[in-house]
Amino acid sequence: MSKSLYSLRMHANRGQEHVSGAERLLEFEQLVETASAMLQRALKHPRGAAERISLKVESFGDAAVRREALLPLSTHAVDDWRQGRELAAELLVRHGIARRVVTTALAALAAGAAPGGTVMRGAMLVDSASGRRLEPDPARGVRVSRMDLDLAARHAVESLLGGQGLNNPRVIEAWVLASKVALYPQVIAELCWSDDPDYLTGYVASARHGYQRITRLKAAGDRIGGRIFFVAAATLPAELIDALQLEPILFSAPRPNTLEQGLCAN
Ligand code: WAQ
Ligand code: MG
């Protein structure tokens, strides 16, 4: 028996500034509790108080939901954010992305990629050969939504991550988001670090090499973060943007070898 699913999205801002956002794919019984937790999160956010919070619930049938597996997860420990960014750049170059494109895109993220040097609400889309930015609105970017763990997977993932001291909603949300982004063949790799001033870990993720956490990608107190989706040369972004925003994906319990400790051999 398949159940109806609901997309739940939250976005909070202060003036033009992005404060917080979240997106889940849930069954009816989970909606009220999850929406209330999202509201709490937006009201007590480390980026500061929100002035405007919107919650959006959309229902659609289970029939259209695609089921997929999470990317393998690994962690690279680095001493500081400079070393972390060097490693991130190296991992991206190993995917075949031109070094000058990586350098320019990384600098744009670090400077605040929205107009006026502020944080974008969503991700940059960058052509990996030309370096051109493809997102239609540079303040909004592309906001990935309609993805989640299925209920059985949530329990499995929590106990798996618990063993490494990583069982928190932030890791799960980022792992799920990166696993959705990596499903689309136009995407070569993703780079991300948080805009929360106290969260320093980020990642490089791809279908080829999995979800590779890097323990430090920015300095403590830095309020600028973001995401870059590096896409294949000459990608026309409309279809990809639609899929990232609209295609519902539920992830199932990861395979036993999903957690790899230490550096992964590329
Ligand atoms: N779609 C596209 N871009 C997004 C989305 C989304 N759904 N959500 C956030 N972003 C962009 C936006 O520009 C934010 O400013 C930026 O990403 C950072 O978002 O394994 O917490 O939610 O330890 O602050 C990664 C490491 C944590 C987790 C990332 O990002 C781990 C994080 P945040
Ligand atoms: Mg944040």
Side-chain angles (χ1 to χ4, degrees):
M1 259 282 291
S2 63
K3 282 187 155 183
S4 286
L5 283 173
Y6 295 79
S7 155
L8 171 64
R9 289 186 290 157
M10 180 275 286
H11 179 239
N13 59 282
R14 182 175 46 253
Q16 294 301 306
E17 199 195 2
H18 164 83
V19 173
S20 168
E23 27 280 303
R24 303 285 305 273
L25 194 58
L26 302 163
E27 292 179 5
F28 180 85
E29 293 75 18
Q30 302 168 277
L31 281 173
V32 170
E33 192 185 330
T34 314
S36 145
M38 276 186 186
L39 192 56
Q40 293 255 14
R41 186 207 298 201
L43 289 170
K44 293 191 289 193
H45 202 272
R47 286 178 61 76
E51 280 172 0
R52 184 165 173 273
I53 301 170
S54 57
L55 281 168
K56 192 169 201 171
V57 180
E58 291 167 288
S59 96
F60 49 93
D62 184 50
V65 176
R66 189 172 152 192
R67 293 179 182 269
E68 295 289 345
L70 289 169
L71 292 174
L73 179 150
S74 59
T75 300
H76 300 267
V78 292
D79 295 334
D80 58 34
W81 64 269
R82 288 175 206 281
Q83 202 185 347
R85 286 187 195 174
E86 257 169 49
L87 174 61
E90 206 45 53
L91 294 176
L92 291 165
V93 168
R94 277 189 223 168
H95 284 82
I97 306 165
R99 188 174 291 276
R100 78 186 148 71
V101 170
V102 169
T103 307
T104 309
L106 217 136
L109 193 163
T118 54
V119 163
M120 294 170 70
R121 269 177 285 157
M124 302 160 71
L125 271 189
V126 171
D127 181 306
S128 49
S130 70
R132 221 158 57 83
R133 280 175 69 175
L134 305 173
E135 68 281 6
D137 175 345
R140 181 177 187 280
V142 180
R143 191 89 201 165
V144 188
S145 61
R146 302 194 175 177
M147 65 286 179
D148 216 316
L149 296 171
D150 72 32
L151 231 42
R154 183 158 293 275
H155 298 297
V157 163
E158 283 174 359
S159 72
L160 209 67
L161 290 176
Q164 297 202 12
L166 293 178
N167 181 20
N168 65 66
R170 184 193 298 276
V171 175
I172 295 175
E173 279 172 23
W175 191 9
V176 167
L177 186 154
S179 297
K180 174 169 179 180
V181 173
L183 289 175
Y184 301 100
Q186 300 96 317
V187 178
I188 297 175
E190 175 188 355
L191 169 67
C192 163
W193 68 81
S194 179
D195 54 17
D196 299 10
D198 54 358
Y199 201 81
L200 313 182
T201 300
Y203 64 84
V204 169
S206 68
R208 244 164 86 188
H209 296 301
Y211 180 74
Q212 301 191 63
R213 306 175 64 247
I214 299 173
T215 51
R216 275 160 215 264
L217 276 180
K218 70 173 190 189
D222 187 347
R223 298 168 52 81
I224 294 187
R227 285 181 153 90
I228 309 172
F229 304 156
F230 291 94
V231 299
T235 294
L236 298 175
E239 193 186 323
L240 174 63
I241 293 173
D242 265 7
L244 290 169
Q245 293 180 160
L246 299 176
E247 187 176 24
I249 316 271
L250 273 181
F251 288 93
S252 40
R255 302 187 186 95
N257 65 349
T258 295
L259 285 186
E260 299 157 17
Q261 264 296 17
L263 296 188
C264 57
N266 288 311

Short mmCIF file of all heavy atoms in Angstrom, two decimals, residues 162-186:
data_model
loop_
_atom_site.label_atom_id
_atom_site.label_comp_id
_atom_site.label_asym_id
_atom_site.label_seq_id
_atom_site.Cartn_x
_atom_site.Cartn_y
_atom_site.Cartn_z
N GLY A 162 25.45 7.56 14.29
CA GLY A 162 25.65 7.61 15.73
C GLY A 162 26.99 7.00 16.13
O GLY A 162 27.70 7.52 16.98
N GLY A 163 27.36 5.92 15.47
CA GLY A 163 28.62 5.24 15.74
C GLY A 163 29.82 6.13 15.52
O GLY A 163 30.90 5.89 16.05
N GLN A 164 29.68 7.18 14.73
CA GLN A 164 30.80 8.10 14.44
C GLN A 164 30.60 9.47 15.08
O GLN A 164 31.31 10.42 14.75
CB GLN A 164 30.93 8.31 12.93
CG GLN A 164 31.26 7.05 12.20
CD GLN A 164 31.91 7.33 10.84
OE1 GLN A 164 32.30 8.45 10.54
NE2 GLN A 164 32.02 6.31 10.05
N GLY A 165 29.59 9.59 15.93
CA GLY A 165 29.30 10.89 16.54
C GLY A 165 28.77 11.89 15.53
O GLY A 165 28.90 13.10 15.71
N LEU A 166 28.18 11.41 14.46
CA LEU A 166 27.71 12.32 13.40
C LEU A 166 26.20 12.35 13.27
O LEU A 166 25.67 12.87 12.29
CB LEU A 166 28.29 11.88 12.04
CG LEU A 166 29.79 12.01 11.85
CD1 LEU A 166 30.19 11.47 10.48
CD2 LEU A 166 30.21 13.47 11.98
N ASN A 167 25.52 11.76 14.25
CA ASN A 167 24.06 11.69 14.10
C ASN A 167 23.39 13.02 14.43
O ASN A 167 22.98 13.27 15.54
CB ASN A 167 23.51 10.58 15.00
CG ASN A 167 21.99 10.48 14.85
OD1 ASN A 167 21.43 10.95 13.84
ND2 ASN A 167 21.35 9.89 15.84
N ASN A 168 23.34 13.90 13.46
CA ASN A 168 22.58 15.14 13.64
C ASN A 168 21.87 15.49 12.35
O ASN A 168 22.28 15.05 11.27
CB ASN A 168 23.48 16.26 14.17
CG ASN A 168 24.55 16.63 13.17
OD1 ASN A 168 24.24 17.14 12.10
ND2 ASN A 168 25.80 16.34 13.48
N PRO A 169 20.79 16.27 12.45
CA PRO A 169 19.97 16.55 11.27
C PRO A 169 20.76 17.23 10.16
O PRO A 169 20.47 17.03 8.98
CB PRO A 169 18.88 17.50 11.80
CG PRO A 169 18.95 17.44 13.28
CD PRO A 169 20.27 16.88 13.67
N ARG A 170 21.76 18.01 10.52
CA ARG A 170 22.50 18.75 9.49
C ARG A 170 23.25 17.80 8.55
O ARG A 170 23.20 17.95 7.32
CB ARG A 170 23.49 19.70 10.14
CG ARG A 170 24.23 20.56 9.15
CD ARG A 170 25.38 21.24 9.82
NE ARG A 170 24.95 22.11 10.88
CZ ARG A 170 24.54 23.36 10.70
NH1 ARG A 170 24.46 23.86 9.50
NH2 ARG A 170 24.20 24.10 11.72
N VAL A 171 23.94 16.80 9.15
CA VAL A 171 24.67 15.84 8.33
C VAL A 171 23.69 15.06 7.45
O VAL A 171 23.89 14.89 6.24
CB VAL A 171 25.50 14.87 9.21
CG1 VAL A 171 26.16 13.80 8.35
CG2 VAL A 171 26.54 15.64 10.02
N ILE A 172 22.59 14.64 8.05
CA ILE A 172 21.61 13.85 7.29
C ILE A 172 21.04 14.68 6.14
O ILE A 172 20.98 14.22 4.99
CB ILE A 172 20.49 13.32 8.22
CG1 ILE A 172 21.09 12.33 9.22
CG2 ILE A 172 19.37 12.67 7.41
CD1 ILE A 172 20.12 11.83 10.26
N GLU A 173 20.65 15.92 6.41
CA GLU A 173 20.07 16.76 5.35
C GLU A 173 21.06 17.00 4.21
O GLU A 173 20.69 16.94 3.04
CB GLU A 173 19.62 18.11 5.92
CG GLU A 173 18.26 18.01 6.59
CD GLU A 173 17.86 19.27 7.33
OE1 GLU A 173 18.39 20.36 6.99
OE2 GLU A 173 17.02 19.17 8.24
N ALA A 174 22.30 17.26 4.56
CA ALA A 174 23.30 17.54 3.52
C ALA A 174 23.61 16.28 2.71
O ALA A 174 23.75 16.33 1.48
CB ALA A 174 24.57 18.10 4.16
N TRP A 175 23.68 15.14 3.39
CA TRP A 175 23.97 13.87 2.73
C TRP A 175 22.84 13.52 1.74
O TRP A 175 23.08 13.11 0.61
CB TRP A 175 24.15 12.79 3.80
CG TRP A 175 24.69 11.47 3.35
CD1 TRP A 175 25.22 11.16 2.12
CD2 TRP A 175 24.77 10.27 4.13
NE1 TRP A 175 25.60 9.84 2.10
CE2 TRP A 175 25.34 9.28 3.31
CE3 TRP A 175 24.41 9.95 5.44
CZ2 TRP A 175 25.56 7.98 3.76
CZ3 TRP A 175 24.63 8.66 5.90
CH2 TRP A 175 25.20 7.68 5.08
N VAL A 176 21.61 13.74 2.19
CA VAL A 176 20.45 13.46 1.33
C VAL A 176 20.42 14.42 0.14
O VAL A 176 20.23 14.00 -1.01
CB VAL A 176 19.14 13.57 2.16
CG1 VAL A 176 17.91 13.60 1.25
CG2 VAL A 176 19.04 12.41 3.15
N LEU A 177 20.65 15.70 0.40
CA LEU A 177 20.64 16.69 -0.69
C LEU A 177 21.72 16.34 -1.73
O LEU A 177 21.46 16.28 -2.93
CB LEU A 177 20.87 18.09 -0.13
CG LEU A 177 20.74 19.25 -1.11
CD1 LEU A 177 20.35 20.55 -0.38
CD2 LEU A 177 22.00 19.51 -1.92
N ALA A 178 22.93 16.07 -1.25
CA ALA A 178 24.04 15.76 -2.17
C ALA A 178 23.75 14.48 -2.95
O ALA A 178 24.11 14.37 -4.13
CB ALA A 178 25.34 15.62 -1.38
N SER A 179 23.08 13.52 -2.31
CA SER A 179 22.76 12.26 -2.99
C SER A 179 21.73 12.50 -4.09
O SER A 179 21.75 11.85 -5.13
CB SER A 179 22.25 11.22 -2.00
OG SER A 179 23.25 10.90 -1.06
N LYS A 180 20.81 13.45 -3.87
CA LYS A 180 19.87 13.78 -4.95
C LYS A 180 20.60 14.49 -6.09
O LYS A 180 20.45 14.11 -7.26
CB LYS A 180 18.71 14.65 -4.44
CG LYS A 180 17.82 15.10 -5.62
CD LYS A 180 16.50 15.74 -5.28
CE LYS A 180 15.80 16.12 -6.60
NZ LYS A 180 14.49 16.76 -6.44
N VAL A 181 21.38 15.50 -5.77
CA VAL A 181 22.07 16.28 -6.82
C VAL A 181 22.92 15.37 -7.70
O VAL A 181 22.96 15.52 -8.93
CB VAL A 181 22.92 17.38 -6.16
CG1 VAL A 181 23.78 18.11 -7.19
CG2 VAL A 181 22.02 18.38 -5.42
N ALA A 182 23.58 14.38 -7.07
CA ALA A 182 24.50 13.50 -7.81
C ALA A 182 23.78 12.53 -8.75
O ALA A 182 24.42 11.86 -9.56
CB ALA A 182 25.37 12.72 -6.82
N LEU A 183 22.45 12.45 -8.64
CA LEU A 183 21.71 11.53 -9.51
C LEU A 183 21.67 11.99 -10.96
O LEU A 183 21.43 11.20 -11.87
CB LEU A 183 20.25 11.42 -9.04
CG LEU A 183 20.00 10.67 -7.74
CD1 LEU A 183 18.52 10.78 -7.38
CD2 LEU A 183 20.41 9.22 -7.90
N TYR A 184 21.86 13.30 -11.18
CA TYR A 184 21.65 13.83 -12.52
C TYR A 184 22.97 13.88 -13.29
O TYR A 184 23.94 14.47 -12.82
CB TYR A 184 20.98 15.22 -12.43
CG TYR A 184 19.67 15.08 -11.69
CD1 TYR A 184 19.56 15.41 -10.34
CD2 TYR A 184 18.57 14.52 -12.34
CE1 TYR A 184 18.37 15.22 -9.65
CE2 TYR A 184 17.38 14.32 -11.65
CZ TYR A 184 17.28 14.67 -10.32
OH TYR A 184 16.11 14.45 -9.64
N PRO A 185 23.00 13.22 -14.45
CA PRO A 185 24.26 13.08 -15.19
C PRO A 185 24.87 14.42 -15.62
O PRO A 185 26.07 14.48 -15.88
CB PRO A 185 23.88 12.22 -16.41
CG PRO A 185 22.39 12.17 -16.45
CD PRO A 185 21.88 12.49 -15.09
N GLN A 186 24.07 15.47 -15.68
CA GLN A 186 24.64 16.79 -16.05
C GLN A 186 25.58 17.30 -14.95
O GLN A 186 26.44 18.14 -15.20
CB GLN A 186 23.55 17.85 -16.22
CG GLN A 186 22.52 17.56 -17.30
CD GLN A 186 21.27 16.91 -16.72
OE1 GLN A 186 21.35 16.02 -15.86
NE2 GLN A 186 20.11 17.34 -17.18
#
